Coordinates of all heavy atoms in Angstrom, one line a residue:
L5 N 20.2 -30.5 -12.7 CA 20.8 -29.3 -12.1 C 20.6 -28.0 -13.0 O 20.3 -26.9 -12.5 CB 22.3 -29.5 -11.9 CG 22.7 -30.3 -10.7 CD1 24.2 -30.6 -10.7 CD2 22.3 -29.7 -9.4
L6 N 20.7 -28.2 -14.3 CA 20.4 -27.1 -15.2 C 18.9 -26.7 -15.1 O 18.7 -25.5 -15.1 CB 20.7 -27.5 -16.6 CG 20.6 -26.5 -17.7 CD1 21.6 -25.3 -17.4 CD2 20.9 -27.0 -19.1
L7 N 18.0 -27.6 -15.0 CA 16.6 -27.3 -14.9 C 16.4 -26.5 -13.6 O 15.6 -25.6 -13.5 CB 15.8 -28.5 -15.0 CG 14.3 -28.4 -14.9 CD1 13.8 -27.5 -16.0 CD2 13.6 -29.7 -14.9
W8 N 17.0 -27.0 -12.5 CA 16.8 -26.4 -11.2 C 17.4 -25.0 -11.2 O 16.8 -24.0 -10.7 CB 17.5 -27.2 -10.1 CG 17.5 -26.6 -8.8 CD1 16.4 -26.7 -7.9 CD2 18.5 -25.9 -8.1 NE1 16.7 -26.0 -6.7 CE2 18.0 -25.5 -6.8 CE3 19.8 -25.5 -8.4 CZ2 18.7 -24.8 -5.9 CZ3 20.5 -24.8 -7.5 CH2 20.0 -24.5 -6.3
A9 N 18.5 -24.8 -11.8 CA 19.1 -23.4 -11.9 C 18.3 -22.5 -12.7 O 18.1 -21.3 -12.4 CB 20.5 -23.5 -12.5
A10 N 17.7 -23.0 -13.8 CA 16.8 -22.2 -14.7 C 15.6 -21.8 -13.9 O 15.1 -20.6 -14.0 CB 16.5 -22.9 -16.0
S11 N 15.0 -22.7 -13.2 CA 13.8 -22.4 -12.5 C 14.1 -21.4 -11.4 O 13.3 -20.5 -11.1 CB 13.1 -23.6 -11.9 OG 13.9 -24.2 -10.9
G12 N 15.3 -21.5 -10.7 CA 15.7 -20.5 -9.7 C 15.8 -19.1 -10.3 O 15.4 -18.1 -9.7
L13 N 16.4 -19.0 -11.5 CA 16.6 -17.7 -12.2 C 15.2 -17.1 -12.5 O 15.0 -15.9 -12.4 CB 17.4 -17.8 -13.4 CG 18.9 -18.0 -13.2 CD1 19.6 -18.3 -14.5 CD2 19.5 -16.8 -12.5
L14 N 14.3 -18.0 -12.9 CA 12.9 -17.5 -13.3 C 12.2 -17.0 -12.0 O 11.6 -15.9 -12.0 CB 12.1 -18.6 -13.9 CG 10.7 -18.3 -14.3 CD1 10.7 -17.2 -15.4 CD2 10.0 -19.5 -14.9
L15 N 12.3 -17.7 -10.9 CA 11.7 -17.3 -9.7 C 12.4 -16.0 -9.2 O 11.7 -15.1 -8.7 CB 11.8 -18.3 -8.6 CG 10.9 -19.5 -8.7 CD1 11.3 -20.6 -7.7 CD2 9.5 -19.1 -8.6
A16 N 13.7 -15.8 -9.3 CA 14.3 -14.6 -8.9 C 13.9 -13.4 -9.8 O 13.7 -12.3 -9.3 CB 15.8 -14.8 -9.0
A17 N 13.7 -13.7 -11.1 CA 13.2 -12.6 -12.0 C 11.8 -12.2 -11.6 O 11.5 -11.0 -11.7 CB 13.3 -13.1 -13.4
V18 N 11.0 -13.1 -11.3 CA 9.6 -12.8 -10.9 C 9.6 -12.0 -9.6 O 8.8 -11.0 -9.5 CB 8.7 -14.1 -10.7 CG1 7.4 -13.8 -10.1 CG2 8.6 -14.7 -12.1
A19 N 10.4 -12.3 -8.7 CA 10.4 -11.7 -7.4 C 11.2 -10.3 -7.4 O 11.1 -9.6 -6.5 CB 11.1 -12.6 -6.3
A20 N 12.0 -10.1 -8.5 CA 12.8 -8.8 -8.5 C 11.8 -7.6 -8.7 O 10.8 -7.7 -9.3 CB 13.7 -8.9 -9.7
I21 N 12.3 -6.5 -8.1 CA 11.5 -5.3 -8.2 C 11.6 -4.8 -9.6 O 12.6 -5.0 -10.3 CB 12.0 -4.2 -7.2 CG1 13.3 -3.7 -7.5 CG2 11.9 -4.8 -5.8 CD1 13.7 -2.4 -6.7
P22 N 10.6 -4.0 -10.1 CA 10.7 -3.5 -11.4 C 11.8 -2.5 -11.6 O 12.2 -1.8 -10.6 CB 9.3 -2.8 -11.6 CG 8.4 -3.4 -10.5 CD 9.4 -3.8 -9.4
P23 N 12.3 -2.3 -12.8 CA 13.3 -1.3 -13.1 C 12.8 0.1 -12.9 O 11.6 0.4 -13.1 CB 13.8 -1.6 -14.5 CG 12.6 -2.3 -15.1 CD 11.9 -3.0 -14.0
P24 N 13.7 1.1 -12.7 CA 13.3 2.5 -12.4 C 12.5 3.1 -13.6 O 11.7 4.0 -13.4 CB 14.6 3.2 -12.2 CG 15.6 2.2 -11.8 CD 15.1 0.9 -12.5
E25 N 12.7 2.6 -14.8 CA 12.0 3.2 -16.0 C 10.5 2.7 -16.0 O 9.8 3.2 -16.9 CB 12.7 2.9 -17.3 CG 13.0 1.5 -17.6 CD 14.2 0.9 -17.0 OE1 14.9 1.5 -16.2 OE2 14.6 -0.2 -17.4
E26 N 10.1 1.8 -15.2 CA 8.8 1.3 -15.2 C 8.1 1.8 -13.9 O 7.7 1.0 -13.0 CB 8.7 -0.2 -15.3 CG 9.3 -0.7 -16.6 CD 9.2 -2.2 -16.8 OE1 8.2 -2.8 -16.3 OE2 10.1 -2.7 -17.5
A27 N 7.8 3.1 -13.8 CA 7.3 3.7 -12.6 C 5.9 3.2 -12.2 O 5.7 3.0 -11.0 CB 7.3 5.2 -12.7
A28 N 5.1 3.0 -13.1 CA 3.7 2.5 -12.8 C 3.8 1.1 -12.2 O 3.1 0.8 -11.2 CB 2.8 2.5 -14.1
R29 N 4.6 0.2 -12.8 CA 4.8 -1.1 -12.2 C 5.4 -1.0 -10.8 O 5.1 -1.8 -9.9 CB 5.7 -2.0 -13.1 CG 4.9 -2.7 -14.2 CD 5.8 -3.7 -15.0 NE 6.2 -4.7 -14.1 CZ 7.5 -5.3 -14.1 NH1 8.4 -4.8 -14.9 NH2 7.8 -6.2 -13.3
M30 N 6.4 -0.1 -10.7 CA 7.0 0.0 -9.3 C 6.0 0.4 -8.3 O 6.0 -0.1 -7.2 CB 8.1 1.1 -9.4 CG 8.8 1.3 -8.1 SD 9.7 -0.1 -7.4 CE 11.2 0.0 -8.4
A31 N 5.1 1.4 -8.7 CA 4.0 1.8 -7.7 C 3.2 0.6 -7.3 O 2.9 0.4 -6.1 CB 3.2 2.9 -8.3
R32 N 2.8 -0.2 -8.3 CA 1.9 -1.4 -8.0 C 2.7 -2.4 -7.1 O 2.2 -3.0 -6.2 CB 1.5 -2.1 -9.3 CG 0.5 -1.3 -10.1 CD -0.9 -1.3 -9.5 NE -1.4 -2.6 -9.3 CZ -2.2 -3.3 -10.2 NH1 -2.5 -2.7 -11.4 NH2 -2.6 -4.5 -10.0
Y33 N 4.0 -2.6 -7.5 CA 4.8 -3.5 -6.7 C 5.0 -3.1 -5.3 O 4.8 -3.9 -4.3 CB 6.2 -3.6 -7.4 CG 7.2 -4.5 -6.7 CD1 7.2 -5.9 -6.9 CD2 8.1 -4.0 -5.7 CE1 8.1 -6.7 -6.2 CE2 8.9 -4.8 -5.0 CZ 9.0 -6.1 -5.3 OH 9.8 -6.9 -4.6
V34 N 5.3 -1.8 -5.0 CA 5.5 -1.4 -3.7 C 4.2 -1.5 -2.9 O 4.3 -2.0 -1.7 CB 6.1 0.1 -3.7 CG1 6.2 0.6 -2.2 CG2 7.5 0.1 -4.3
L35 N 3.1 -1.0 -3.4 CA 1.9 -1.1 -2.7 C 1.6 -2.6 -2.3 O 1.2 -2.9 -1.1 CB 0.7 -0.6 -3.4 CG -0.6 -0.7 -2.7 CD1 -0.7 0.2 -1.4 CD2 -1.8 -0.4 -3.6
H36 N 1.7 -3.5 -3.3 CA 1.4 -4.9 -3.0 C 2.4 -5.5 -2.0 O 2.0 -6.4 -1.2 CB 1.4 -5.7 -4.3 CG 0.9 -7.1 -4.1 ND1 -0.4 -7.4 -3.7 CD2 1.5 -8.3 -4.2 CE1 -0.5 -8.7 -3.6 NE2 0.6 -9.3 -3.9
S37 N 3.6 -5.0 -1.9 CA 4.6 -5.5 -1.0 C 4.4 -5.0 0.5 O 5.0 -5.5 1.4 CB 6.0 -5.1 -1.4 OG 6.3 -5.6 -2.7
C38 N 3.6 -4.0 0.6 CA 3.4 -3.3 1.9 C 2.2 -3.8 2.7 O 1.1 -3.9 2.0 CB 3.4 -1.8 1.8 SG 5.0 -1.1 1.2
D39 N 2.3 -3.9 4.0 CA 1.1 -4.2 4.8 C 0.6 -3.0 5.5 O -0.5 -3.1 6.2 CB 1.6 -5.3 5.9 CG 1.8 -6.6 5.2 OD1 1.2 -7.0 4.2 OD2 2.7 -7.3 5.8
W40 N 1.3 -1.9 5.5 CA 0.8 -0.7 6.2 C 1.3 0.5 5.5 O 2.3 0.4 4.7 CB 1.1 -0.7 7.7 CG 2.6 -0.8 7.9 CD1 3.3 -2.0 8.1 CD2 3.6 0.2 8.0 NE1 4.6 -1.7 8.4 CE2 4.8 -0.4 8.3 CE3 3.5 1.6 7.9 CZ2 6.0 0.3 8.5 CZ3 4.7 2.3 8.1 CH2 5.9 1.7 8.4
G41 N 0.7 1.7 5.8 CA 1.2 2.9 5.2 C 0.9 4.1 6.2 O 0.1 3.9 7.1
A42 N 1.4 5.2 5.8 CA 1.2 6.4 6.6 C 0.1 7.2 5.9 O 0.3 7.7 4.7 CB 2.5 7.2 6.7
L43 N -1.0 7.4 6.5 CA -2.1 8.2 6.0 C -2.1 9.6 6.6 O -2.1 9.7 7.8 CB -3.4 7.5 6.3 CG -4.7 8.1 5.7 CD1 -4.7 7.8 4.2 CD2 -5.9 7.6 6.4

Side-chain angles (χ1 to χ4, degrees):
L5 285 174
L6 185 61
L7 182 61
W8 179 78
S11 66
L13 286 173
L14 181 61
L15 286 174
V18 169
I21 70 169
E25 60 272 11
E26 296 184 33
R29 276 190 61 224
M30 180 63 81
R32 292 284 303 269
Y33 176 86
V34 173
L35 177 67
H36 189 64
S37 298
C38 293
D39 289 330
W40 56 269
L43 184 75

